[in-house]
Amino acid sequence: MADQSANPLLLEFLKEWWDSARERSSKGATTYKKAYDSMKACPLTFNHPSEAQQLQGLGPKLCDRLTERLKAHCTANGLLMPKVSRKSRNRLSADDLSLMNPPPPAKKARKSRPYVPAHRSGPYAIILTLSSLPEGSSAGLTKAQIVEQAQEHCDSSFTAPLDTSKFYTAWNSMKTLEDKDMVYEKGRPLRRYFLSEEGWEVAKRIRAVQELGILPKDQATNITDTARKSPAVAADFRHLDDIDNLSRPSATPLVSEETGNATTMQSGQQLGGSVTDKFGTFAEPRTRGFPSKPDFVEILSSPEPPLRSRPDPVGVRPSLDPSSLLLDSRSTSIPRQREEESPQRNSGDSPFPPTFQPIELQPGTFTVQLILDNREVRAKNDREYIQHELVRSGINPIVRPLQLGDFFWVAKCKDPSILVRHGEEGDEVALDWIVERKRLDDLVGSIKDGRFHEQKFRLRKSGVKNVVYVIEEFSMSSERILHFQEAIESSIASTQVVEGYFVKKTLKLDDTIRYLARMTLMLKSMYESKPIYIIPTTHLNPHTYIPLLSHLGRTTPNISHNITYAAFASLASKSDSLTLRDVFLKMLMCTRGVTGEKALEVQKCWKTPREFIEALEGCGGKKEREVMLDARLGGKVGRKKIGKTISGKIAEIWGEG
């Protein structure tokens, strides 16, 4: 594609940036795409990237980036860098200019200031912390690691709001950095954060300003008045273009406030005892979570134990018999670096099953509580009826949106920092009980539009062992009841027999509320008298979560393993952890008559939508397409069988056009 362009090298650079921005879901992807399309359509050959400013979508800043990229390319390949031709535009004919459709001359705009976070603010601390990793590292940092390491660089708290009437902490500034494309995140359910190219530019310049300030070790993050008065930092700190001079390797004279004598600082001088490069970044990782030692392995899937000694949290202690937690004797022979590779990059990279030590919550350190989905209401004008009736029954529920189900139970820690001290998020542990409430009219509607099968599919993927369907009677016309009676009975029977879920029928909402209250008391007596074992989130992966639970059930049948509620919500989300396989299955199930079992059989034969479409296109004609699925899967038994009718429907949707 690039060979057909008049400027293939510049087009290749733009394509590279565009692809990188799309991978990070960056807002800059639109800008790069516009510039790429404009460069691709241009019939003229440019002698220098600065001439590309005549095109739509390529401004001075982007052309400067192309110039720097071309310089690096020429240097690496031993080529001469083209020179800027001032008369190049005058040599272009009027026809050429009309082909390029140059934008109308814009008004002289005020020079925009690049974003730089305020000193010792939340964004400032987060950028400094993320810049402690080597540039280009695939490890990233989790929220818990960032909060622990960034606090020393910030005046505001990352865990508690400054004012009791507010809910915002320094961590909320992460949203600002993501909106400005300074930081991006990857991985589910454990999110890891990385600096983007723009974020690294800001981090290097902040480090450069730090390098110029001769400060005590315990004040290495402060920028003193001496550094501000330095000739190299005469301009305002927020003008990044002027701060570029700070990164030059030449010596910079500084005046000490205490002695008044001039001193000299070379690039590479130590800052707080660590060697820095010309940008002020550390030559080696230098944070509390990343000690420098020869046999150090980067944290990718599980945090290293803290370096400083501290007593075990109250009520939390490691398992008494670590040998019983080895899930597979073969895993001990796997090299350490292989063991700790990131599961979110590729599920095949990390060994399965993983070796881990569960977090143990002792009885008395938590309480079992019911979570009520805030969308579960009696009527539009009576939204709090269920909550009030539960309170009258002695159950004080937590009301918030649920990713899955209508009622869910968690073990809530009495000390909110217990799980945080173990590198986890939140203070709740998901229990293996969930309730889906269906009123009779809602059940009929969900059967008609396919939501009923989709919900059962997501429940099966969630890994929750005990699923309860509550079916409430509701007054419906006799004609409608007769029309859907068979479908209702068939759906209830399949839920019990095929999925193995428990179905509870109630006459009215009040009966459902009393059932939930009794169930909450039962779960309190079941869980609050024994310890809870939690799988560390670093060992969870959407691809291996269900197999891991099955393996644990076989190897340690007497121990029930749970996960944090934050990890459960991410795994159960409709969009957070969706893979291409999940999207393909959901697309197939949109066709009337295609159940989850049938969709799974299709996906086993054709792994991706593209592979499936290519198979349909490879058929000889329309009739062959219509019977393709029937010929391949018509011999299946029971609900997995795909007959000619459904085969024709799928072929019509996927194979036409």
Side-chain angles (χ1 to χ4, degrees):
M1 188 70 70
D3 297 338
Q4 302 175 3
S5 170
N7 304 277
L9 194 56
L10 300 181
L11 192 67
E12 181 181 342
F13 297 157
L14 291 172
K15 183 68 165 60
E16 179 183 332
W17 297 337
W18 179 25
D19 291 340
S20 176
R22 281 193 301 178
E23 289 178 2
R24 304 195 315 266
S25 299
S26 170
K27 296 179 181 178
T30 305
T31 302
Y32 290 127
K33 181 181 185 303
K34 186 176 181 181
Y36 175 83
D37 293 339
S38 183
M39 181 70 74
K40 181 180 175 183
C42 176
L44 303 177
T45 302
F46 297 125
N47 295 323
H48 192 273
S50 60
E51 299 174 10
Q53 292 188 36
Q54 303 170 73
L55 301 179
Q56 287 184 345
L58 283 96
K61 185 176 180 180
L62 192 54
C63 289
D64 290 343
R65 284 195 65 187
L66 287 172
T67 303
E68 294 298 323
R69 184 72 173 82
L70 184 60
K71 284 181 182 178
H73 175 79
C74 293
T75 303
N77 294 275
L79 303 174
L80 292 176
M81 178 66 186
K83 296 183 179 180
V84 182
S85 176
R86 296 183 178 180
K87 298 182 180 180
S88 59
R89 184 175 177 84
N90 296 333
R91 290 197 296 267
L92 300 178
S93 65
D95 294 337
D96 292 337
L97 292 175
S98 63
L99 286 173
M100 291 186 295
N101 191 20
K107 296 180 180 179
K108 187 176 180 180
R110 184 175 60 182
K111 185 178 180 181
S112 60
R113 295 182 177 182
Y115 172 76
V116 176
H119 182 54
R120 294 193 64 80
S121 63
Y124 173 91
I126 292 173
I127 289 178
L128 274 182
T129 302
L130 290 175
S131 68
S132 63
L133 291 175
E135 188 170 359
S137 171
S138 60
L141 291 178
T142 64
K143 177 182 176 180
Q145 292 170 334
I146 294 174
V147 167
E148 180 183 2
Q149 299 170 22
Q151 189 58 71
E152 62 179 313
H153 304 297
C154 183
D155 293 331
S156 302
S157 172
F158 274 84
T159 55
L162 293 176
D163 190 348
T164 55
S165 62
K166 298 179 180 178
F167 302 95
Y168 296 98
T169 64
W171 175 254
N172 293 98
S173 56
M174 178 63 78
K175 182 70 166 57
T176 302
L177 294 176
E178 290 180 326
D179 290 342
K180 294 183 178 295
D181 292 329
M182 298 285 177
V183 176
Y184 64 97
E185 65 177 49
K186 290 194 300 185
R188 294 294 185 277
L190 187 64
R191 292 176 172 85
R192 293 182 180 270
Y193 297 89
F194 305 79
L195 282 180
S196 64
E197 293 180 5
E198 294 82 359
W200 273 109
E201 291 178 6
V202 174
K204 290 175 180 178
R205 285 160 178 157
I206 292 177
R207 294 283 188 183
V209 172
Q210 288 183 346
E211 182 181 350
L212 284 173
I214 300 181
L215 304 172
K217 184 176 180 180
D218 59 345
Q219 299 178 1
T221 56
N222 292 328
I223 304 173
T224 62
D225 293 337
T226 302
R228 293 183 186 276
K229 296 176 183 177
S230 171
V233 204
D236 185 3
F237 171 59
R238 293 181 178 273
H239 290 273
L240 286 184
D241 293 336
D242 297 338
I243 298 178
D244 282 334
N245 297 326
L246 305 181
S247 60
R248 63 177 184 271
S250 59
T252 304
L254 294 176
V255 181
S256 173
E257 287 183 342
E258 297 180 359
T259 62
N261 298 326
T263 59
T264 302
M265 175 176 284
Q266 294 284 351
S267 173
Q269 185 173 346
Q270 293 188 356
L271 174 64
S274 296
V275 179
T276 57
D277 58 16
K278 68 176 183 177
F279 294 109
T281 54
F282 296 118
E284 294 182 4
R286 178 185 169 274
T287 62
R288 291 179 293 177
F290 295 84
S292 176
K293 54 183 180 181
D295 58 347
F296 171 65
V297 180
E298 289 183 353
I299 299 174
L300 293 180
S301 64
S302 62
E304 290 284 330
L307 297 179
R308 59 185 184 276
S309 60
R310 60 188 177 198
D312 290 334
V314 178
V316 182
R317 58 181 175 83
S319 178
L320 295 176
D321 187 11
S323 62
S324 65
L325 300 173
L326 294 177
L327 305 182
D328 193 336
S329 59
R330 295 172 297 175
S331 62
T332 57
S333 62
I334 298 174
R336 178 178 177 84
Q337 187 171 3
R338 175 80 171 174
E339 174 188 321
E340 293 187 352
E341 286 183 355
S342 176
Q344 48 266 47
R345 290 180 305 176
N346 189 343
S347 61
D349 290 343
S350 55
F352 182 86
T355 301
F356 66 89
Q357 187 171 1
I359 303 168
E360 185 177 345
L361 294 182
Q362 287 297 303
T365 62
F366 61 89
T367 59
V368 173
Q369 288 193 286
L370 169 65
I371 299 181
L372 166 64
D373 190 358
N374 61 358
R375 291 161 291 191
E376 279 299 299
V377 297
R378 182 185 186 185
K380 291 183 179 179
N381 55 356
D382 192 4
R383 305 187 66 87
E384 298 181 352
Y385 178 82
I386 299 177
Q387 180 184 0
H388 290 162
E389 290 300 312
L390 283 170
V391 172
R392 289 180 59 185
S393 301
I395 305 299
N396 190 14
I398 302 171
V399 182
R400 63 164 173 251
L402 284 174
Q403 295 289 350
L404 184 64
D406 300 320
F407 305 93
F408 193 74
W409 284 267
V410 297
K412 191 172 183 65
C413 299
K414 294 180 180 179
D415 181 2
S417 63
I418 287 182
L419 296 179
V420 175
R421 289 198 290 266
H422 285 77
E424 302 293 336
E425 293 185 27
D427 59 349
E428 296 172 346
V429 180
L431 302 180
D432 276 331
W433 292 83
I434 190 169
V435 170
E436 180 74 31
R437 171 180 170 245
K438 289 289 182 188
R439 212 169 59 178
L440 208 54
D441 58 338
D442 182 34
L443 176 62
V444 172
S446 63
I447 293 173
K448 291 172 63 178
D449 61 19
R451 285 185 294 114
F452 186 64
H453 296 291
E454 191 265 345
Q455 287 170 348
K456 290 195 293 185
F457 173 74
R458 291 179 59 215
L459 284 168
R460 188 164 60 249
K461 266 192 62 180
S462 69
V464 178
K465 298 177 183 177
N466 304 286
V467 179
V468 178
Y469 264 87
V470 175
I471 309 296
E472 285 181 14
E473 296 290 342
F474 185 74
S475 59
M476 298 171 59
S477 63
S478 56
E479 293 181 359
R480 193 177 185 191
I481 290 177
L482 290 174
H483 183 70
F484 291 104
Q485 184 68 32
E486 186 178 347
I488 293 172
E489 293 178 354
S490 174
S491 299
I492 293 176
S494 67
T495 302
Q496 292 176 302
V497 178
V498 179
E499 279 80 23
Y501 299 156
F502 181 77
V503 176
K504 170 69 175 178
K505 290 186 177 181
T506 59
L507 295 177
K508 53 186 177 180
L509 178 58
D510 291 336
D511 293 341
T512 301
I513 294 173
R514 283 192 289 270
Y515 175 74
L516 292 170
R518 292 195 304 270
M519 195 170 178
T520 303
L521 295 176
M522 179 197 71
L523 294 178
K524 280 179 172 289
S525 63
M526 284 178 54
Y527 283 97
E528 292 183 355
S529 59
K530 59 183 181 180
I532 292 180
Y533 297 92
I534 306 167
I535 304 174
T537 307
T538 51
H539 292 281
L540 296 179
N541 186 312
H543 305 285
T544 60
Y545 172 55
I546 301 300
L548 176 60
L549 291 181
S550 301
H551 180 83
L552 291 172
R554 293 192 304 269
T555 55
T556 55
N558 297 328
I559 298 178
S560 177
H561 291 83
N562 303 86
I563 61 176
T564 63
Y565 179 77
F568 173 81
S570 180
L571 289 169
S573 173
K574 287 185 177 181
S575 57
D576 259 13
S577 57
L578 276 183
T579 61
L580 178 59
R581 175 179 178 273
D582 298 330
V583 175
F584 186 24
L585 291 173
K586 291 170 73 71
M587 292 168 69
L588 289 170
M589 291 172 66
C590 290
T591 304
R592 187 179 181 87
V594 179
T595 61
E597 291 82 358
K598 290 181 173 60
L600 281 171
E601 293 302 318
V602 174
Q603 198 274 333
K604 287 178 183 178
C605 297
W606 298 278
K607 302 298 182 183
T608 63
R610 178 175 180 177
E611 188 177 336
F612 183 53
I613 292 174
E614 288 176 351
L616 289 170
E617 291 176 348
C619 295
K622 182 177 179 180
K623 291 185 177 179
E624 187 177 345
R625 284 198 301 269
E626 291 178 349
V627 298
M628 185 185 77
L629 285 174
D630 177 48
R632 187 73 175 268
L633 302 174
K636 295 289 181 179
V637 179
R639 298 167 63 91
K640 298 179 180 180
K641 180 179 179 180
I642 296 182
K644 293 183 180 180
T645 304
I646 297 179
S647 178
K649 285 183 181 179
I650 296 176
E652 182 181 359
I653 295 172
W654 289 78
E656 298 295 331

